[in-house]
Amino acid sequence: MMWYDGWGWGGWSAMAIFMVLFWVLVIAGVVVLVRYVTGSRHGQQGGGPPVSSGEPRWGGTPAEELLAERFARGEIDEDEYKRRLTLLREHR
């Protein structure tokens, strides 16, 4: 006597394969959705929108902006920042 309309082992194997494929697609869909939602901010550093073609963000020159960013990242100390900023403003 055949159970479940005669599917046999082939039917059960196909059902198991399709169930695994279904869950792989569901998990992949969730991963793609999460990457899509968070992808717009991925790789950007904080501090506002990117600067476009030499246009300063906060009213200073591009050189002053670069100096301020280096100071904010800790690449230069306060004394060096002030010295270089004074030098930049004197040569405008």
Side-chain angles (χ1 to χ4, degrees), residues 59-64 85-92:
T61 65
E64 290 175 359
L85 186 61
T86 303
L87 186 64
L88 282 172
R89 289 182 176 168
E90 286 175 357
H91 291 287
R92 262 199 224 174

Side-chain angles (χ1 to χ4, degrees), residues 5 7-8 17 21 23 25 31 43 46 48 50 55 68 76 85 87 89:
D5 297 327
W7 278 25
I17 290 170
L21 288 175
W23 285 111
L25 289 175
V31 168
E55 178 183 320
I76 57 175
L85 186 61
L87 186 64
R89 289 182 176 168

